[in-house]
Amino acid sequence: MINVTFPDGAVRQYEAGVSALDIAKSISEGLARKVLSAKVNGQVWDASRPISEDANLQLLTWTDTDGKSTFWHSSAHLMAEAVESMFPGVKFWVGPALDNGFYYDMDLGDKKLTEDDLVVLEKKMNELAKQNNAYQRKEMSKAEAIAYFTEKGDEYKLDLLQNLQDGSITFYTQGNFTDLCRGPHIPATGVIKAIKLTNIAGAYWKGDEKNKQLTRVYGITFPNQKELDEYLLMLEEAKKRDHRKLGKELGIFTMDEDIGPGLPLWMPNGTIIIEELEKLAKETEEAAGYKRVVTPHIAKENLYITSGHLPYYADSMFPPMEMDGEKYYLKAMNCPHHHKIFAAEHKSYRDLPYRIAEYGTCYRYEQSGELFGLMRVRCLHMNDAHIYCSKEQFFQEFKAVNDMYLKYFKIFGVDKYVMRLSLHAPEKLGQKYVDEPALWKETEDMVRKVLIDTNTPFIEVPDEAAFYGPKIDVQIWSTIGREFTLATNQVDFNSGRKFKLEYTNKENQTDVPLIIHRAPLGTHERFIGFLLEHYAGKFPVWLSPLQVKILPISDKFMEYTNEVKAELRSAGIRVEIDDRSEKIGRKIREAELSRVPYMLVLGEKEMTEGKLSVRRQGKGDLGSQTIAEFIGTVVAEIKNRTEE
RNA sequence: GCCACUUUAGCUCAGCUGGUAGAGCAACUGAUUUGUAAUCAGUAGGUCGUUGGUUCGAUUCCGACAAGUGGCUCCA
């Protein structure tokens, strides 16, 4: 007999060799039907795998993340079975579970999959699922496995085998499909009730663009149709707040073929948002001791040779323009220009920290396939600044930048993000990273300490640092789930020397400053793209391109309407009148859809009382207010940058 | 850049297997002067992304290019 301990601490005795599925059955048949896999001593196992020793056991079902993963990974195998039955001779690479669904990479030879094929595949998968075939686990020696795949001529699985230890190699079979796989899997295919293959994509083998491109099919499955329907509905809803759709609807930005890909045109409404953001940045930076600078959009080649961006990043820059026998480049970053401002006047330790800021316009030649609405563009306006400081000042300066991030996040109600501390990889010193092991350790420790001291949750990611130093990136997700770096805060102990930046220290010696590169509001493009989705187009009053729309009941009240408008405007409020001869219902509907935060309905009653009927977007009628009351509210919301 | 798909009126979309196009909304004109999410009528608007080819004839079939979409790679 063995002792099995459950998550609630209860201990029960079973025969050795009992499976998690047996145990579930002993509790209830209903539970047994729901079990997908089990966590045995912290490892996720097949529910049917015999347990031979005392163990901690957690039964995993659809409501557990690990249970879902098992379900989706098994679904990938089911898809592979369907693909193999349709296209014999197909070779498979890997087919993992994702956060939402699964994919499988495959080599289909010359066969090109179409969307029609997906429909047929879904049908086949449904048939196979109904057969309720068990997933059977089989251990195999490495030699046997190699022989098996050599005979099949499957170079992909042979490649996978190379990195596997003999004794740990397992195969899984369900129906007519057998695959090298570490598992675990669900007991049988029958629980997969709703299947949707979502898209076909090319994916480089092993993620290396020099390798052959395999066919990747993405899909998602559920234990019932209802959840699939809900998932598809959620995707539809998400599309409605896609910044590309909202940007067009609200007149924020536009793209034009004649201007060029990745080059957004900011329309009047978008420009108002840009100006409000810059106002916020300027206020915040002035209070934090930054000075503003302005630099040209182009520079000579030599600047980028000094910075080290050429030739290594030449691919990401627009090709040079030749003028007077010199090559000029559009700037892809502002740092070298700012370094030259630092170097223009001699600095002493009394001038440090020296902080200069600019909403700098940069141009980057992003690959055509990478462009994505406002989130990934070729012309960007960066909330950039550089801080030049001594080693002693670094901690305080870096912390102040971190505090500025958090302050901004509070203003915008940004709560779904991950702070990522990007570190170097010691084995790549001298190649990918500047060869200064001591400086790396020192700065990484300082950056980590800032995060810990400010109680900022973060994750550490090795081998993701900039070549000149560690950094903190703020990761966010677009509505459709794509990940982006919104903001960045970087340490640079390299450019100071490269640009021969110096200051005279207290001991009257020459010293090289540390540099902090920071962009808490990222770029206008990405930040406004993010805000559009974050607010679903319903900007807070201070950011809203139009703040108040006045809706007169009829043109009999135009005189009063114009008076009200003039008063609001002189209070600094962005206001417009809907003077069409439409019914009030129509005006309200369209004002609501345009997401203007406040609407004022003015008619006979308001005119005689000298009041306003106030309506808030999404909330309906707020009742009657005096002009002074209303102006007071709106002006306070603007001044305090109130979110709602 | 690579794989797949898409491109029809300002917007959202329809248009069986080739015979030069249609709806709703928006726009414009007129009527209506309206009380908290769509007043009515009329008018105008498209060389069907561009460009080659096949064909008596191409929005429709094939190719190239451009832009976009979903991924891959990339993101200093």
Side-chain angles (χ1 to χ4, degrees):
Chain A
M1 297 298 274
I2 58 168
N3 291 314
V4 173
T5 311
F6 291 86
D8 64 0
V11 180
R12 290 168 76 156
Q13 289 203 319
Y14 292 95
E15 298 254 358
V18 71
S19 73
L21 201 55
D22 297 330
I23 294 174
K25 273 183 197 153
S26 78
I27 298 168
S28 88
E29 277 295 331
L31 178 62
R33 275 197 298 275
K34 287 200 293 187
V35 169
L36 299 172
S37 54
K39 209 175 249 184
V40 180
N41 293 327
Q43 282 192 313
V44 185
W45 278 25
D46 300 322
S48 55
R49 189 164 162 190
I51 302 167
S52 52
E53 290 168 11
D54 288 358
N56 288 308
L57 177 74
Q58 184 191 354
L59 299 172
L60 299 173
T61 66
W62 179 249
T63 52
D64 300 291
T65 307
D66 288 326
K68 274 199 178 78
S69 293
T70 311
F71 189 86
W72 282 329
H73 180 52
S74 295
S75 301
H77 277 234
L78 185 69
M79 178 172 82
E81 184 182 3
V83 170
E84 198 174 53
S85 76
M86 265 178 79
F87 309 105
V90 56
K91 290 170 191 170
F92 293 100
W93 173 235
V94 291
L98 304 168
D99 289 345
N100 279 303
F102 59 87
Y103 68 78
Y104 218 125
D105 282 348
M106 55 192 89
D107 181 350
L108 287 159
D110 295 331
K111 166 69 193 168
K112 306 270 186 208
L113 270 193
T114 66
E115 278 166 30
D116 294 339
D117 292 325
L118 292 191
V119 177
V120 181
L121 278 173
E122 275 174 23
K123 214 175 139 206
K124 184 74 189 172
M125 285 174 72
N126 276 308
E127 272 170 40
L128 293 168
K130 282 208 186 83
Q131 292 174 9
N132 198 21
N133 296 316
Y135 286 84
Q136 284 161 329
R137 183 176 189 271
K138 188 185 171 196
E139 290 180 19
M140 212 187 259
S141 73
K142 191 162 179 172
E144 275 179 294
I146 288 173
Y148 176 80
F149 286 118
T150 305
E151 206 205 317
K152 269 186 102 176
D154 189 333
E155 65 270 31
Y156 299 102
K157 296 294 178 182
L158 284 170
D159 187 273
L160 275 181
L161 277 169
Q162 277 184 3
N163 300 315
L164 297 179
Q165 292 274 313
D166 202 1
S168 69
I169 294 168
T170 54
F171 280 66
Y172 278 83
T173 301
Q174 96 274 4
N176 292 314
F177 179 73
T178 299
D179 198 3
L180 171 71
C181 180
R182 104 165 70 83
H185 281 283
I186 56 177
T189 59
V191 287
I192 302 171
K193 304 278 195 200
I195 298 165
K196 179 74 187 167
L197 298 184
T198 45
N199 65 60
I200 309 165
Y204 299 108
W205 184 41
K206 296 187 178 179
D208 186 335
E209 64 180 325
K210 288 185 209 76
N211 285 340
K212 183 173 179 174
Q213 200 161 49
L214 304 175
T215 303
R216 175 174 295 181
V217 179
Y218 286 87
I220 191 162
T221 52
F222 292 91
N224 57 65
Q225 185 64 36
K226 187 166 158 273
E227 283 194 57
L228 172 59
D229 293 342
E230 282 168 2
Y231 175 76
L232 295 175
L233 190 70
M234 190 199 77
L235 289 184
E236 290 291 309
E237 289 299 314
K239 273 190 195 156
K240 287 186 195 162
R241 49 158 73 198
D242 189 314
H243 75 277
R244 291 166 297 185
K245 187 174 157 62
L246 287 171
K248 181 182 261 182
E249 283 173 10
L250 303 177
I252 306 293
F253 75 100
T254 188
M255 302 276 198
D256 189 285
E257 222 174 289
D258 289 336
I259 303 290
L263 302 172
L265 297 168
W266 289 99
M267 299 167 79
N269 286 344
T271 306
I272 289 172
I273 298 172
I274 285 183
E275 284 173 354
E276 289 295 345
L277 290 175
E278 292 198 9
K279 205 155 85 186
L280 171 67
K282 284 172 186 171
E283 274 174 28
T284 309
E285 285 159 6
E286 201 199 329
Y290 292 65
K291 295 185 173 77
R292 300 208 75 78
V293 295
V294 174
T295 63
H297 292 198
I298 61 173
K300 292 202 288 197
E301 178 179 40
N302 197 42
L303 185 73
Y304 298 109
I305 291 172
T306 306
S307 70
H309 290 105
L310 284 176
Y312 301 109
Y313 299 107
D315 284 352
S316 306
M317 295 176 75
F318 277 88
M321 298 166 262
E322 295 260 353
M323 238 174 96
D324 302 334
E326 288 278 1
K327 284 182 182 166
Y328 285 83
Y329 281 84
L330 279 165
K331 69 176 170 184
M333 69 298 295
N334 305 301
C335 2
H337 288 74
H338 288 187
H339 298 341
K340 290 296 186 184
I341 289 178
F342 179 90
E345 299 166 308
H346 183 81
K347 297 283 184 298
S348 94
Y349 71 95
R350 293 176 197 274
D351 298 313
L352 269 43
Y354 186 73
R355 313 179 189 92
I356 49 177
E358 173 181 23
Y359 248 106
T361 309
C362 300
Y363 298 87
R364 298 182 179 184
Y365 186 78
E366 302 286 358
Q367 295 187 61
S368 59
E370 279 313 315
L371 301 171
F372 176 71
L374 285 177
M375 300 293 209
R376 195 78 181 272
V377 290
R378 286 179 173 165
C379 171
L380 40 107
H381 296 83
M382 208 190 296
N383 172 227
D384 214 355
H386 294 88
I387 301 168
Y388 302 81
C389 64
S390 68
K391 214 181 269 181
E392 295 68 39
Q393 292 165 331
F394 174 80
F395 182 82
Q396 180 50 39
E397 288 302 308
F398 200 84
K399 182 171 177 303
V401 171
N402 198 62
D403 290 343
M404 192 182 283
Y405 275 61
L406 299 175
K407 187 195 152 189
Y408 282 142
F409 289 175
K410 213 170 160 194
I411 291 173
F412 295 102
V414 178
D415 42 19
K416 192 178 169 248
Y417 64 89
V418 168
M419 287 265 193
R420 198 172 67 174
L421 170 56
S422 299
L423 307 169
H424 78 298
E427 68 276 12
K428 292 186 188 165
L429 282 171
Q431 300 153 43
K432 192 174 166 185
Y433 303 108
V434 182
D435 195 7
E436 292 282 357
L439 274 171
W440 275 105
K441 173 146 185 19
E442 197 175 348
T443 50
E444 286 178 354
D445 286 349
M446 282 195 283
V447 172
R448 187 183 292 106
K449 188 170 180 320
V450 167
L451 288 167
I452 292 169
D453 281 10
T454 50
N455 283 319
T456 311
F458 66 99
I459 56 166
E460 297 200 12
V461 194
D463 201 12
E464 286 284 328
F467 70 89
Y468 46 68
K471 58 177 180 172
I472 298 172
D473 287 329
V474 182
Q475 302 301 111
I476 51 110
W477 291 266
S478 84
T479 285
I480 59 166
R482 224 185 276 192
E483 185 178 15
F484 290 95
T485 299
L486 189 66
T488 185
N489 188 8
Q490 313 182 347
V491 188
D492 181 351
F493 46 73
N494 190 49
S495 302
R497 274 174 308 186
K498 279 200 158 162
F499 279 86
K500 299 197 168 57
L501 305 183
E502 294 169 352
Y503 66 96
T504 308
N505 67 19
K506 276 183 194 165
E507 286 74 41
N508 198 26
Q509 288 165 329
T510 298
D511 218 335
V512 180
L514 277 175
I515 302 166
I516 296 170
H517 304 244
R518 43 112 281 178
L521 296 177
T523 65
H524 281 321
E525 286 72 16
R526 194 168 284 179
F527 201 74
I528 293 173
F530 165 77
L531 287 181
L532 270 164
E533 301 192 352
H534 177 64
Y535 291 126
K538 297 169 197 167
F539 288 102
V541 179
W542 72 278
L543 273 177
S544 194
L546 181 66
Q547 295 166 323
V548 176
K549 186 120 190 176
I550 310 183
L551 314 174
I553 298 286
S554 86
D555 56 17
K556 286 187 220 152
F557 314 109
M558 279 311 290
E559 203 180 320
Y560 181 55
T561 301
N562 281 320
E563 282 169 29
V564 172
K565 180 184 174 184
E567 285 205 46
L568 295 186
R569 182 164 282 171
S570 64
I573 296 166
R574 294 187 286 267
V575 54
E576 276 175 19
I577 299 172
D578 184 346
D579 59 2
R580 297 172 304 165
S581 67
E582 291 290 348
K583 294 170 95 169
I584 194 67
R586 173 66 168 259
K587 293 185 183 182
I588 286 171
R589 177 180 159 78
E590 289 179 10
E592 286 279 348
L593 291 175
S594 76
R595 297 172 173 82
V596 58
Y598 284 107
M599 287 148 271
L600 299 177
V601 177
L602 302 187
E604 186 70 43
K605 188 168 142 268
E606 289 74 17
M607 191 170 69
T608 40
E609 291 176 358
K611 286 189 155 185
L612 314 166
S613 283
V614 181
R615 194 184 160 97
R616 180 80 218 230
Q617 204 277 343
K619 292 192 179 140
D621 197 348
L622 299 185
S624 181
Q625 289 180 21
T626 64
I627 300 179
E629 266 181 298
F630 178 70
I631 288 178
T633 314
V634 175
V635 168
E637 275 192 57
I638 293 169
K639 184 166 169 281
N640 302 325
R641 299 193 168 97
T642 314
E643 261 212 279
E644 256 209 42

